[in-house]
Amino acid sequence: MLRETLSKRGVRVITGLGKYFRRIDKNRNGFLSQADFKEALKVFHLGIPEGDFESLWLILDDSKSDKVDYGEFTRAVFGEMNEYRKAFVRKVSFAYMKLDFNKTGSVPMVDIRKCYCAK
């Protein structure tokens, strides 16, 4: 049911959820509690009946850790990436690693200018 709702609403909802998940992930470990996950679904108007939510949570939290990460959520909703997308992500990741000289997770414009010339 959630998969159908998300596929109708599109990429904006998924990217918005990703940003929201990262914002409420206070300790930056990539995991969300059940309460945080439920709240995120409500914020994005993806409320589902409690019984369906419990079933969804059992699927997403297969390790029984009472937390779920965003990657698990997207794989559960969209499935695995095809080989073309995986290759593209590897290329982009490699390029990003080259730009992120200081390994900070963000790339200032100054560092981009050192590696890229638009001429």
Side-chain angles (χ1 to χ4, degrees):
M1 178 175 75
L2 183 61
R3 181 180 290 192
E4 291 83 22
T5 303
L6 287 171
S7 66
K8 288 178 189 171
R9 304 240 335 249
V11 173
R12 284 187 180 175
V13 171
I14 294 299
T15 55
L17 268 172
K19 289 177 186 175
Y20 184 81
F21 286 168
R22 286 186 291 279
R23 189 170 58 238
I24 64 173
D25 181 14
K26 301 296 183 209
N27 56 5
R28 301 279 187 242
N29 65 0
F31 291 96
L32 293 175
S33 69
Q34 186 175 4
D36 288 339
F37 183 69
K38 189 180 286 190
E39 182 63 25
L41 294 179
K42 284 181 187 174
V43 166
F44 283 83
H45 307 289
L46 297 168
I48 56 177
E50 187 62 33
D52 291 343
F53 179 83
E54 293 300 325
S55 297
L56 173 65
W57 186 257
L58 289 174
I59 292 167
L60 293 175
D61 183 27
D62 58 351
S63 64
K64 308 294 183 251
S65 60
D66 283 333
K67 54 190 174 188
V68 68
D69 74 65
Y70 182 65
E72 288 176 7
F73 171 72
T74 54
R75 279 188 295 282
V77 172
F78 291 111
E80 291 294 324
M81 289 190 286
N82 62 35
E83 287 306 314
Y84 174 79
R85 288 181 63 205
K86 286 180 184 178
F88 184 76
V89 168
R90 282 191 290 271
K91 287 177 185 175
V92 170
S93 297
F94 180 74
Y96 187 82
M97 288 186 319
K98 291 272 192 188
L99 291 172
D100 189 11
F101 298 119
N102 301 320
K103 308 297 183 229
T104 61
S106 64
V107 180
M109 190 57 77
V110 172
D111 289 347
I112 293 173
R113 286 187 184 119
K114 290 176 186 175
C115 296
Y116 182 74
C117 177
K119 292 178 184 178

